[in-house]
Amino acid sequence: MSVSNQLPLFGDYANPFFEQSHTQQRIRQAVTECLLLADIEPIPPSYFRIGSDAVMFPVGEAARLKTNVNAIRLLKSLQFPKPDLTPQEQEQLLQYVGWGGLAKVWEQEPFRLMQEGKTADAVTERWIRQYGSARLELENLLTSKEIALAEASTLNAHYTSRLLVEAIWQAVSRFGFSGGRILKSAAGTGHFIGIMPDSIRQVSSVVAVEKDLITGAVRLY
C-alpha cells in the first residue's frame, strides 16, 4: 500500500511506534485515500481471532494494571516486523485494556513525592502502595511521547465488551452487510476485528486507525 507508510493499517504492517505528527485532517485524508485504493489486502488468515473462552477484561483494578504492564513489557521485547506469537503471548496482549479505568496511575503529585522520598500523607501512601511500582516500570518502558498519549487517553480509552461487539456484528449482518471494505476508526486493540464473524472476515478488507501508539501496536500483533 502506498498512501502512508506511517499509519498502522491492515495489509501494511507499518512500524507501530510511528511519529505522532499527523493532524486529524491528515489522518482523515489518508483513510479516505486508502478506502479508494483497489489493492487493499484482505484480513490475513493468521490475524488473531478472539476465541469465546478468551479473557478480554481481567477482573479488578489491580489485575488490569498488572496485565497492562505485562502487555507493554512483552510488546517492547518484540522485534518488528510482526513476529509469530505463541497463543500465550497473544492472550497476554489481548488483556491490555488501556488507561480509561486506571487514570490514577498517571497522577503526578504522588509520583513526584515518591521519587523525592518525601514524607507523604495517608492518601499518597495509599497511592504508592497501589500504583508506585507499576508507575516506575511504566516510566522505564515507555517514551515520554507514549506516556503523554497514555495520560491523554484516560478520558476515552474504554474498550467494548464481547457481548456488545457480538450484538453489533449481528445487527450489521441483519442490515444486509455480508462483507466488503471496512473502516474501523478508533480501532483500539482490535476487538471488533478479532470478534468479526468468519463469514464476513473471509470476504472483507479492513482499514484500521488508532492514534495511541501503544494501543495501535498491540492491535498489529
Side-chain angles (χ1 to χ4, degrees):
M1 295 174 65
S2 58
V3 171
S4 173
N5 61 8
Q6 292 184 313
L7 289 171
L9 306 171
F10 283 100
D12 181 17
Y13 290 106
N15 188 325
F17 301 104
F18 62 95
E19 281 294 311
Q20 191 70 17
S21 59
H22 295 281
T23 63
Q24 291 184 354
Q25 181 179 358
R26 177 67 189 102
I27 292 175
R28 286 195 297 268
Q29 178 185 348
V31 170
T32 301
E33 291 172 354
C34 286
L35 289 174
L36 294 176
L37 286 177
D39 61 348
I40 293 179
E41 300 175 11
I43 300 171
S46 60
Y47 187 78
F48 184 45
R49 286 173 168 80
I50 301 177
S52 58
D53 59 344
V55 178
M56 295 170 57
F57 300 99
V59 177
E61 185 180 78
R64 291 194 295 272
L65 180 58
K66 180 179 179 180
T67 55
N68 268 13
V69 174
N70 288 344
I72 292 173
R73 190 188 305 119
L74 171 61
L75 187 66
K76 291 289 188 171
S77 73
L78 297 175
Q79 297 295 316
F80 202 85
K82 184 175 179 285
D84 293 327
L85 301 186
T86 67
Q88 293 75 21
E89 289 172 330
Q90 288 181 325
E91 291 282 351
Q92 191 171 337
L93 291 180
L94 174 65
Q95 293 179 12
Y96 177 81
V97 296
W99 304 106
L102 297 166
K104 283 185 174 295
V105 74
W106 299 113
E107 290 182 354
Q108 294 298 333
E109 184 62 13
F111 181 58
R112 180 185 65 81
L113 293 172
M114 181 181 72
Q115 285 185 305
E116 294 175 356
K118 292 183 177 179
T119 302
D121 57 26
V123 173
T124 303
E125 291 288 355
R126 185 164 57 250
W127 183 94
I128 292 172
R129 289 195 303 272
Q130 292 179 326
Y131 306 107
S133 61
R135 176 63 180 273
L136 281 173
E137 183 165 6
L138 289 168
E139 292 285 329
N140 291 325
L141 286 171
L142 300 175
T143 67
S144 58
K145 181 169 291 186
E146 290 164 351
I147 289 172
L149 287 170
E151 292 174 346
S153 76
T154 56
L155 294 178
N156 50 32
H158 299 276
Y159 294 129
T160 311
S161 70
R162 174 193 297 279
L163 185 64
L164 185 54
V165 172
E166 290 175 343
I168 290 172
W169 277 121
Q170 290 170 7
V172 167
S173 297
R174 287 199 298 270
F175 294 155
F177 181 77
S178 58
R181 294 178 180 231
I182 299 171
L183 168 62
K184 183 64 180 83
S185 57
T189 56
H191 289 173
F192 274 86
I193 301 164
I195 300 176
M196 184 187 303
D198 283 343
S199 59
I200 295 178
R201 173 191 292 263
Q202 293 166 2
V203 291
S204 296
S205 57
V206 176
V207 172
V209 178
E210 172 56 52
K211 80 173 195 175
D212 181 71
L213 298 179
I214 295 297
T215 303
V218 168
R219 180 184 53 75
L220 287 178
Y221 290 97

